[in-house]
Amino acid sequence: MDWEQRYLDDDIPWDHGEAAPAIVEVVSRQIVPEGARVLVPGCGLGHDVRAWSDAGFAATGLDIASTALERARCRYGTDGMSWLQADLFDPELPRRGLYDVVWEHTCYCTLPLELRSAYVDAVARLLKPGGLFCALFFTDTGNGPGEGPPYSADRDEVFELFSPMFDLAWEKRPDQAYTSRVGREWLMVWTRRMHDNI
C-alpha cells in the first residue's frame, strides 16, 4: 500500500476528523503516569496525538507518510507534540525503551497476519519495561478473513501474539466509539514485562 499517495489523493476514509473517543476512557482510568511519553504509530493526521497532548502527556506521532505528518504539523503544531516520519519496523527507530506508552488505534489493522508478530516486536522494543501498550483493535472491519486493509483483529489472535512479552491489565468493549464503529472495536491495555527478552 502506498500510504503517501493515499494522502496526496485525499483517499483516507479511515480518518474521522477527530481523535478516537476511547482515549478519554483510557486517560480517565489514571493508569498512565504523569508526564508519560506516548507514541502513536500510524498517526495519520494527528488527531490522537493532539488528544494525548491535551491530556497532559508528551505525545509523538509516527507515520511513514510525509504528507500526513505535514498536515498534522500544520493543523496541530508542535506544542507538547512531536512528529516523526519513519517506518515502525525499522530496528534503529528510535533507541530502545524510549516510550512509557504506545497507543494503537489505526496501525495494527493495516497489517496482514504475517506482519503482526513483527509489530509486537517493534512495540516491545520501543516501550520501557513496565510500559503500557494501550490498544483499540478493530475487530470487525466488514472485510472477509485475510481481506484488507483494514484487516480485522481477532481477540484470541491478539492475546496469543502479545502474551509472550506483555501482561494483560484489562480489556473491554470501549464505552465510546465513532458512530460507524460501535460494537466493532475492543479496547485492551497491556503491560510490557520488566525482563528484556527481545
Side-chain angles (χ1 to χ4, degrees), residues 47-57 59 76 79-81:
H47 312 305
D48 287 7
V49 178
R50 175 60 184 267
W52 280 102
S53 176
D54 285 350
F57 303 103
Y76 294 123
D79 187 17
M81 294 164 280

Side-chain angles (χ1 to χ4, degrees), residues 3-70:
W3 298 108
E4 174 68 11
Q5 193 62 50
R6 294 289 294 266
Y7 281 98
L8 287 170
D9 294 341
D10 285 322
D11 182 17
I12 49 174
W14 58 85
D15 184 79
H16 289 258
E18 61 181 347
I23 292 175
V24 174
E25 185 172 354
V26 173
V27 170
S28 70
R29 287 181 173 243
Q30 299 182 329
I31 57 171
V32 179
E34 186 176 339
R37 290 175 291 183
V38 179
L39 177 68
V40 182
C43 70
L45 299 183
H47 312 305
D48 287 7
V49 178
R50 175 60 184 267
W52 280 102
S53 176
D54 285 350
F57 303 103
T60 297
L62 181 151
D63 208 285
I64 200 166
S66 61
T67 297
L69 293 176
E70 288 168 14

Side-chain angles (χ1 to χ4, degrees), residues 101-175:
V101 177
V102 171
W103 167 249
E104 163 57 43
H105 174 206
T106 56
C107 188
Y108 189 86
C109 68
T110 69
L111 303 174
L113 187 59
E114 60 268 19
L115 292 179
R116 290 181 169 178
S117 61
Y119 175 94
V120 176
D121 290 342
V123 168
R125 185 175 65 249
L126 292 165
L127 270 175
K128 287 181 173 180
L132 298 176
F133 176 62
C134 304
L136 184 63
F137 291 107
F138 201 176
T139 54
D140 177 12
T141 64
N143 293 327
E147 296 177 359
Y151 299 93
S152 295
D154 177 82
R155 186 265 174 205
D156 292 338
E157 168 229 313
V158 169
F159 189 87
E160 182 178 341
L161 285 172
F162 281 88
S163 58
M165 287 185 281
F166 293 81
D167 293 314
L168 183 61
W170 54 269
E171 62 179 324
K172 65 186 293 291
R173 192 162 304 285
D175 292 337

Side-chain angles (χ1 to χ4, degrees), residues 100 127-132 191-194:
D100 303 292
L127 270 175
K128 287 181 173 180
L132 298 176
T191 303
R192 172 78 167 90
R193 293 214 181 102
M194 296 301 291

